[in-house]
Structure formats: C-alpha cells, structure tokens
Amino acid sequence: MMGGHHAASGAAAWVAVASTAPYALGWYPVSPLGIVSGALLTAGAALLPDLDHHSGTIANSLPPVTKILARITERVSGGHRRGTHSLLGLAVFVALAGALGEMTTEVRGFGTIEIGAGLLSVLLMGFALKALKIAGGAARSWLLAVGLSLFIALYAPENNGWLPLAVGLGVGVHIIGDLLTHQGVMILWPLRIKRPRKIASMPLVAKLWKTSGCLSLPVIGRAGSWREWAIMVPVSVYAIYGVIEGGFNALRGWIT
Ligand SMILES: [Zn+2]
C-alpha cells in the first residue's frame, strides 16, 4: 500500500476509536483536541513498519536519524515486510511506545512534560510528512516535525495509555493494508511456515499463501492500484472529516 494511504488509514482508525460522533465507534473517548493530536500521531505510527527498508521513503524522512534507525530495524527484523509486519513486531512497537509514554519529567510552572511521547512524535511526524509529500528538504522536514510534535505534546489526549494505543492502531492498520496486497506479509515472523507442496498447486492456496511464506488477501492487488484508491479515498475523507470536526469542536469549546 502507498505511504500516504497508510497514513490516512492510521488517522481514520484513531478517529473511529476515539471520537464519540455518530459516525465513529467511540470505544476510547478523548477530548476534541485529543482526536486531532491522536490522529496525527497514529497517521505517523501507521508508517512505522516501513522503517525496515534502509533506502525506503521512511528511511529518508529525517536524515540522518531515520537512516540509522532504518539500518538497525532492517537488520533486527530480518528484512522488508518481515519482523515489523508481524504480530510480534506489533507487540514490540506497543511495548516500546508504552515505555516511552512513561518517560516524563516535572518542570516547575509547566507541570508534567512527556519527553518520551515528544521524541517519538518527532520521528512519526517526520514519517507522515514524507509519506504525504509535504516534507521537502531535510531542514524543513525537521522543522515541521518538531512543530507538529509540540502541538501533540501540548494537546495530547489526557487518557492513560493513549500512546501505546495509538502506536498499536497505526502499526495494526499498516499490517492489514500490506496484507491486502499481492506481496502479503509474514504475519507469524520469526516463524516462516512454507506452504505444503501437496496443496501448493491449488490456485487459491497459491494466491493466499506465497512461496516466501508470506500470507496475502489480495483485495487491493498491487500497491497503488485503482482498487487501493477506491478503498482509500473514502477512508481518507472519513479521517479528514473526523479531524476537522474535532478541531471545530475544540474551537467551539474555547469560544463558549
Ligand atoms: Zn509495509
């Protein structure tokens, strides 16, 4: 799936879970601004699994930091679409986000500053800006990423555990997005279950269970196909609508 579509699906997932509007699920209600800041963070988190590619878009989002992180991630996760696109990878990302969410400090006059969430936000905003092609050069990317992270740090949802939830949602929808393409994902990594030779010749098995051991539900086909656009345009509209409504509700709250 294309980077911009991953980001949109992340934001849409946050809106669906965190908004209490009639068009959302409202499972994890947050403040109106928490919908905006959480959607931004989840959009970035929905690109995190693609940090497993040293020359990919994400690796080039905030150089040199993302380049170094991508090389490390690629080595640890066994290559592109392996560890970071698996259930184990999802669990590791959630655990890391949980640990970063605990990193706070008290500053007199300001109250609690979420250092870990802030650092993670810079990285994730860099990813989102690059995927949505808003970034531009390295200096501009860093500046915009830090600016957006300050917004997230100031207006983050006050709910406990919002950071691991947002990261889990983002990574989860990314894995689903890639599962829907021809290439598929190795969901049970590091287990690589090869398809048994006896059933490999069955057309449906060959389609869903790749020789590489990857699983695929190729609803989208190849990345960037018209089917991907047909699914992702409404999802993107939903995300944008949810975020704008969150912003308006916050404004209304300030005025009245
Ligand atoms: Zn991916």
Side-chain angles (χ1 to χ4, degrees), residues 25-99:
L25 301 166
W27 289 339
Y28 186 82
V30 301
S31 64
L33 267 181
I35 295 172
V36 181
S37 57
L40 282 173
L41 192 111
T42 315
L47 294 153
L48 202 42
D50 282 348
L51 193 61
D52 63 356
H53 197 337
H54 72 272
S55 61
T57 320
I58 299 309
N60 288 308
S61 55
L62 292 175
V65 175
T66 45
K67 274 256 182 217
I68 299 164
L69 285 176
R71 284 213 182 267
I72 298 169
T73 310
E74 189 174 20
R75 197 157 301 165
V76 173
S77 69
H80 189 41
R81 285 201 181 199
R82 305 216 169 221
T84 59
H85 291 64
S86 69
L87 293 174
L88 177 63
L90 173 67
V92 169
F93 281 132
V94 170
L96 283 174

Side-chain angles (χ1 to χ4, degrees), residues 85-88 185-193 215:
H85 291 64
S86 69
L87 293 174
L88 177 63
V185 290
M186 208 171 277
I187 194 85
L188 295 177
W189 186 91
L191 291 179
R192 183 181 173 181
I193 305 170
L215 280 188

